[in-house]
Amino acid sequence: MKLKRSNKEPEGSIALAEAEALQQKGEKKRGQEAIGILQQASARFRDAISMGLPSEDELHDARFGSAWCLALCAEATKAAADALPDHLISRKKDVEAKHVALRLYSQAVAEYKQVLDSYGKVRSDAAVNAGNALCAVAELLVSSNSHGSRSTLTEVCTAEVQAYEEARHLYQSALTRTGYEDSNNQGCSTSRSVDEEGEQDADTWCNLADCLMSYAQLLTDRKASLPQERQGEAAALCQAALQAYEQACAVSDSSHGDDLPGLLCNWGSGLIAAALMTEPPRIELLHQAISQLQHSASFSRADTAPLNRLGDAWVHLAELAEAAMVHEEAKLMFTKALEEGYGRALAINRMDPEALDRELSPLVEALVVLALSVF
């Protein structure tokens, strides 16, 4: 007697296909509509897992998809709260939105860490995305705790430190992985750790750099409460971050879709942050930032970010010159901030919020410096 073979597709596979369709639909929406659809997609991915999937690859794809949707929900939740009109903004609503986003990011991290490769380790793309979510968690915690009265590292920063530490570990594990994993990325931009020829991923290096710089900033802000044995950590993290930015640009490859102008802009922003973490600020790092930001802006894209950062760097140099009573030099640098930075950004977009917000300040300061130089 022959057994009749069923051609019916497994229920789990059907649910997986439905989840992927919902994910794609949700990614095209905004605000609460996007959140609702992405939550449905994440739930459907989990349904697919509970129903059973015919292969390990599909199982990990479902876990990845669920995590990806949860992280998008967290981002959309933050964006929706930030977009509220002034008359609807309240401390309570802000706290509630951050709480929801933290929960969603944490769930995403847990699910990403279940996406394994053939060696039983967290798959490279999942490790990178989990690191991104953990950095978002740390930023939310820092923002939330900045309103509190606690001030010591132990009281305020334990969760943030843990998030940055785990994110750093995940990024580094992705960068040091041997071999290349070609996986279904569920419609998102995943990061390769090492490709077939062993070339490391620029975006992951940049993510690591951003993580280390934010971690360094956290420790710098809490330096007074750090124990003696941790006093040098911020400087070491800062240096490691700058090396990671440099490495990101060094391995950038446009054939892989890498965005060198964007990487240079991030490097320049990191150099500015590093310069301001010391007292007095490190002038040579501000000049290095200007060099990288000018390089980024030279690609002639309609991107205001490097121009605004360039304006920031010139303003910081001008303020240092002003503090040193070198008024003519300060005036020249304020002028450069306007002409090379914010003014060029406004030429691209007259309504650019960052340029509009910054343009008046250096203009006023330049006039003050001019007045002081006269007297």
Side-chain angles (χ1 to χ4, degrees):
M1 179 179 177
K2 289 186 177 181
L3 294 175
K4 186 176 181 180
R5 185 182 297 273
S6 173
N7 293 322
K8 184 179 179 182
E9 189 174 3
E11 288 186 355
S13 296
I14 294 172
L16 178 59
E18 292 173 351
E20 290 170 345
L22 283 168
Q23 175 198 324
Q24 292 170 8
K25 181 180 178 181
E27 289 174 344
K28 297 175 183 177
K29 303 296 182 180
R30 294 290 182 271
Q32 292 299 325
E33 186 179 8
I35 293 170
I37 296 172
L38 289 167
Q39 286 176 334
Q40 292 176 41
S42 180
R44 199 61 181 145
F45 277 120
R46 291 193 294 273
D47 288 342
I49 295 169
S50 64
M51 290 175 183
L53 290 161
S55 71
E56 285 291 312
D57 286 344
E58 284 188 306
L59 173 62
H60 292 305
D61 287 343
R63 286 172 174 162
F64 190 102
S66 177
W68 174 252
C69 290
L70 288 168
L72 286 183
C73 281
E75 292 174 16
T77 298
K78 289 196 304 176
D82 292 340
L84 285 174
D86 290 345
H87 69 281
L88 293 178
I89 295 175
S90 69
R91 171 72 177 148
K92 180 181 178 181
K93 288 185 178 180
D94 181 62
V95 170
E96 288 175 350
K98 286 180 178 177
H99 178 75
V100 171
L102 281 169
R103 175 175 55 80
L104 291 168
Y105 276 129
S106 298
Q107 290 175 349
V109 170
E111 295 201 20
Y112 275 132
K113 288 162 69 174
Q114 295 181 61
V115 180
L116 307 180
D117 61 18
S118 57
Y119 299 99
K121 295 183 178 181
V122 179
R123 207 170 70 188
S124 295
D125 54 353
V128 171
N129 287 0
N132 295 343
L134 282 162
C135 287
V137 165
E139 290 168 9
L140 282 170
L141 290 170
V142 169
S143 174
S144 298
N145 286 329
S146 66
H147 299 290
S149 59
R150 299 173 299 172
S151 60
T152 68
L153 181 72
T154 302
E155 291 174 327
V156 175
C157 303
T158 300
E160 294 96 307
V161 166
Q162 289 175 346
Y164 281 132
E165 285 285 0
E166 187 173 2
R168 172 168 65 171
H169 172 75
L170 286 163
Y171 290 137
Q172 289 173 334
S173 72
L175 287 165
T176 56
R177 195 77 52 82
T178 57
Y180 175 72
E181 297 156 3
D182 183 14
S183 59
N184 180 351
N185 65 12
Q186 298 294 333
C188 71
S189 177
T190 60
S191 297
R192 62 189 186 283
S193 59
V194 182
D195 70 13
E196 296 93 331
E197 299 176 355
E199 185 175 10
Q200 295 181 13
D201 176 56
D203 286 340
T204 304
W205 275 110
C206 194
N207 289 343
L208 173 62
D210 289 341
C211 170
L212 294 174
M213 192 61 74
S214 296
Y215 190 4
Q217 186 67 63
L218 172 67
L219 297 186
T220 299
D221 292 342
R222 302 295 174 182
K223 187 174 182 179
S225 61
L226 285 174
Q228 186 62 38
E229 63 271 17
R230 300 196 67 177
Q231 288 293 316
E233 278 190 45
L237 287 166
C238 192
Q239 184 60 34
L242 294 179
Q243 291 172 349
Y245 282 124
E246 183 175 8
Q247 182 69 7
C249 293
V251 302
S252 174
D253 186 343
S254 60
S255 68
H256 285 150
D258 293 331
D259 175 19
L260 180 57
L263 294 169
L264 288 166
C265 182
N266 282 7
W267 189 4
S269 299
L271 283 161
I272 293 173
L276 301 180
M277 283 187 204
T278 61
E279 188 58 47
R282 294 175 61 184
I283 292 176
E284 77 278 8
L285 292 183
L286 289 172
H287 282 292
Q288 290 177 35
I290 287 170
S291 176
Q292 300 306 333
L293 292 165
Q294 287 173 334
H295 189 186
S296 175
S298 71
F299 284 81
S300 301
R301 305 188 312 177
D303 184 4
T304 60
L307 299 172
N308 285 324
R309 298 293 85 72
L310 185 57
D312 292 344
W314 279 120
V315 166
H316 290 308
L317 283 172
E319 290 171 343
L320 291 172
E322 186 179 6
M325 305 297 287
V326 187
H327 298 309
E328 283 299 319
E329 186 175 339
K331 182 176 67 174
L332 176 63
M333 290 174 174
F334 279 128
T335 302
K336 284 181 176 291
L338 289 168
E339 293 180 351
E340 294 186 14
Y342 309 131
R344 287 176 62 194
L346 288 172
I348 293 173
N349 178 7
R350 290 300 304 173
M351 299 306 294
D352 182 83
E354 288 193 63
L356 287 170
D357 184 54
R358 288 168 166 81
E359 188 181 38
L360 184 59
S361 176
L363 179 60
V364 171
E365 294 199 49
L367 292 172
V368 171
V369 170
L370 179 61
L372 289 172
S373 65
V374 171
F375 294 102

